[in-house]
Amino acid sequence: MKIERVVVTGRGTVNAIAGNIPEFYKALRTGICGIGPVTLFDTSGYRSHTGGQVRGFDPGKTLPRSASLKRMSRSDSMAVVATLEALSDAGLVPMLDDLAAHTGVVMGGGAGGMLECEPIFARYLESGADRLPVAPFAAFSCASSADHIATHFKLMGPKTTFMTACSSGATAIGYALDLIRQGEAKMMICGGTEPLCQITYAAFNALQAVDPDYCKPFDRDRQGMTLGEGAGILILESLTHARRRKARIYAEVLGCGISCDANHMTAPDATGGGGASAMHAALADAGISPAQVDYINAHGTATPANDRMEIQAIHTVFGEHATHIPVSSTKSMIGHTLGAAGAIEAVTSVLAIEKGFIPPTIHHDHPDETCDLDVVPDGARDATLNRVLSNSFAFGGNNTCLVVGRYVETEEDR
């Protein structure tokens, strides 16, 4: 059986520095910081008071006001808005019935509708009632974003949700890649979504894994991550399907690698073994060597342990070539969006290839002597990129790496 090449034909995002793809490109180019005071809930009792919050978000401006919109959580509506942009970008609005029948959706998720559920639970505690009302919670499951996307756009292909912590969005894209390669779908909507909410904010504050100011990936004075929120969506198609409908092709998804540290619930394997294994697997799946990678979009959370691990893993995989590859963290601009992170960073990787630039690592003021990588600290750079590696290293040692490449037409394609 012929293994299909898989290409990117649409992109969509909502995040702390942009409400759409053109805004996102401009903000990445100029190194905009979207980190600021969190206003979605009271942060007065926490170590940190900042986050990569999506401000001024009103899904009613984009989506038709309906009963289904009222049932969407903030996480759901960010995902549906980003999906609508990606489908429009791919020339698929309105989508024909015969296309929808062969299109699936795979999402990475995390907190789901927790932001909406928290005040319901608080009111229950204050009321002294004997029983917690279950009905309000049912509409806000972690899988509801995929459900809403499928229902809103009448998609009848494969549908599922991944929850592998901070690698969820990348894992969803990897699974969509496999489904198309295997002929299980012709087109997939895939990505991730995540809201800011108190339970997540409190948990990371309790772990002392957040920076009281803002995250500074790979900086000597880094103290931890900054939490963020948002959604990132890619439209993936088989090359055959994309060419048949004369779609614009932005990039090609070349490979995916997945591994587990099998080490600790939160701490990464300090040797970088798990991360290196995922990178090796992604490169092998893509059929390329380490020397063929032009840029690495790092996991780059700015926690001391995670940054050290990723630096070690990159050295393990790339050897002498490691110091010659630009390695930047866009979490410095939008925060760590957890279940959406790998997806938004995949969108970033596609933009970097299409637009010919490398996003910077901002807030990098004090070089760390243990980090000898080129972390792109002085602003975005123009660059011709043919292959980009995007790393996602999650709690529990759930590692997923993606390789995105420039689409090159071959004789067989013509």
Side-chain angles (χ1 to χ4, degrees):
M1 182 181 75
K2 177 186 175 182
I3 298 178
E4 287 276 8
R5 292 172 68 184
V6 179
V7 294
V8 178
T9 58
R11 310 127 324 145
T13 190
V14 174
N15 58 64
I17 58 175
N20 54 54
I21 290 295
E23 288 178 4
F24 192 39
Y25 165 60
K26 183 178 179 181
L28 289 172
R29 266 282 193 182
T30 53
I32 294 295
C33 178
I35 296 168
V38 171
T39 60
L40 291 171
F41 46 83
D42 182 11
T43 66
S44 59
Y46 300 121
R47 165 188 170 95
S48 172
H49 309 292
T50 61
Q53 181 177 318
V54 176
R55 302 179 193 280
F57 178 64
D58 181 1
K61 292 181 178 179
T62 305
L63 305 176
R65 294 191 180 275
S66 62
S68 61
L69 180 58
K70 292 178 182 178
R71 290 194 295 269
M72 290 184 196
S73 67
R74 183 176 177 87
S75 183
D76 296 334
S77 56
M78 288 191 294
V80 176
V81 167
T83 298
L84 178 58
E85 182 188 18
L87 287 170
S88 300
D89 188 38
L92 292 166
V93 176
M95 183 183 287
L96 301 177
D97 290 344
D98 62 329
L99 289 180
H102 300 285
T103 300
V105 54
V106 186
M107 290 296 291
M114 191 60 68
L115 180 68
E116 288 74 20
C117 293
E118 286 168 343
I120 298 172
F121 187 66
R123 287 195 294 272
Y124 156 71
L125 292 177
E126 292 169 1
S127 71
D130 295 332
R131 181 176 295 180
L132 177 67
V134 176
F137 292 86
F140 300 131
S141 74
C142 297
S144 61
S145 295
D147 295 340
H148 279 294
I149 291 169
T151 301
H152 192 86
F153 299 104
K154 310 300 182 187
L155 310 177
M156 294 181 286
K159 174 173 70 71
T160 194
T161 299
F162 281 91
M163 291 183 64
T164 54
C166 311
S167 61
S168 299
T171 305
I173 293 169
Y175 183 60
L177 168 69
D178 282 348
L179 286 174
I180 297 174
R181 280 176 168 175
Q182 295 164 10
E184 298 294 327
K186 295 179 181 178
M187 184 161 60
M188 293 295 298
I189 295 167
C190 54
T193 185
E194 183 85 31
L196 280 167
C197 64
Q198 283 201 73
I199 193 167
T200 304
Y201 204 82
F204 280 93
N205 271 269
L207 288 169
Q208 298 187 38
V210 293
D211 195 309
D213 192 3
Y214 41 66
C215 68
K216 300 176 275 289
F218 307 115
D219 189 273
R220 182 192 65 204
D221 297 333
R222 65 189 183 276
Q223 298 181 61
M225 67 179 71
T226 298
L227 291 171
E229 63 175 357
I233 299 290
L234 292 179
I235 307 299
L236 302 189
E237 297 185 54
S238 70
L239 178 58
T240 302
H241 189 268
R243 287 179 59 82
R244 184 177 297 132
R245 70 178 191 87
K246 296 182 172 58
R248 176 176 179 176
I249 295 173
Y250 292 105
E252 181 173 358
V253 182
L254 298 173
C256 175
I258 297 176
S259 73
C260 178
D261 284 2
N263 178 66
H264 189 270
M265 184 181 293
T266 58
D269 175 3
T271 70
S277 177
M279 283 190 274
H280 276 305
L283 296 175
D285 191 39
I288 65 171
S289 69
Q292 291 176 286
V293 173
D294 301 311
Y295 162 58
I296 299 173
N297 188 287
H299 187 55
T301 63
T303 61
N306 206 293
D307 281 7
R308 281 196 301 268
M309 177 278 290
E310 188 166 15
I311 292 164
Q312 179 59 51
I314 289 171
H315 275 290
T316 298
V317 173
F318 292 90
E320 293 181 359
H321 191 52
T323 57
H324 302 293
I325 306 174
V327 179
S328 70
S329 172
T330 45
K331 289 182 177 70
S332 60
M333 289 178 258
I334 65 172
H336 191 348
T337 56
L338 305 179
I344 295 175
E345 286 155 16
V347 170
T348 301
S349 299
V350 171
L351 274 172
I353 289 170
E354 179 202 354
K355 300 294 188 179
F357 81 110
I358 298 169
T361 302
I362 67 172
H363 306 143
H364 191 277
D365 301 319
H366 305 98
D368 184 347
E369 62 181 13
T370 67
C371 176
D372 56 353
L373 303 178
D374 174 9
V375 298
V376 196
D378 299 318
R381 298 176 191 166
D382 291 328
T384 300
L385 304 175
N386 293 308
R387 299 168 195 88
V388 173
L389 177 69
S390 184
N391 288 337
S392 297
F393 303 138
F395 273 3
N398 293 298
N399 309 305
T400 301
C401 298
L402 298 170
V403 179
V404 180
R406 180 180 300 279
Y407 167 64
V408 179
E409 187 179 58
T410 65
E411 287 292 334
E412 188 179 352
D413 300 333
R414 296 188 179 94

